[in-house]
Amino acid sequence: QVQLVESGGGLVQPGGSLRLSCAPSGSIFMFNTMGWYRQAPGKERELVASINSGGSTNYADSVKGRFTISRDHAKNTVNLQMNGLKPVDTAVYYCRVTHVDTAYWGQGTQVTVSS
């Protein structure tokens, strides 16, 4: 069973930065795609950014130029550097990874952007 441990969320002022990290515990696989999703109150969960095993990335239009996703193959971790944060970025952020045809989700970490 794969458990994902997320860290780095918190409260930040508009224009500020946060870095989210996601690391697996338990059984360790080499994951195919690793990514971050978010869900704001009253809204559906949406893709923020993803990165595949070859390093190709995909971003939501709303975060392009502000967020950067990266992965460390040796540590099997995925990070999300978030700069220029806006109040609309406020949400619970979830890590998601895939191994073969199975997806695993983290518990989520709250990101609040407010003055």
Side-chain angles (χ1 to χ4, degrees):
Q1 184 66 26
V2 175
Q3 292 183 328
L4 301 174
V5 180
E6 299 145 329
S7 61
L11 172 64
V12 65
Q13 293 186 342
S17 298
L18 285 174
R19 182 178 176 85
L20 305 183
S21 294
C22 175
S25 64
S27 299
I28 304 298
F29 305 121
M30 287 306 299
F31 301 117
N32 302 116
T33 300
M34 308 180 80
W36 291 92
Y37 287 69
R38 67 186 180 187
Q39 187 166 20
K43 295 189 176 181
E44 293 186 353
R45 192 172 297 187
E46 63 176 359
L47 171 70
V48 176
S50 65
I51 183 168
N52 65 17
S53 57
S56 295
T57 58
N58 182 39
Y59 293 93
D61 287 342
S62 59
V63 307
K64 285 180 180 176
R66 300 188 297 124
F67 292 9
T68 303
I69 191 169
S70 61
R71 65 189 290 175
D72 185 325
H73 288 282
K75 297 180 180 179
N76 217 14
T77 57
V78 61
N79 303 302
L80 185 69
Q81 179 66 43
M82 304 186 294
N83 299 327
L85 283 161
K86 305 175 181 180
V88 295
D89 295 317
T90 295
V92 178
Y93 284 69
Y94 297 90
C95 176
R96 179 184 185 270
V97 301
T98 62
H99 175 68
V100 188
D101 58 355
T102 302
Y104 302 91
W105 290 89
Q107 293 292 320
T109 184
Q110 178 70 45
V111 171
T112 302
V113 185
S114 175
S115 56

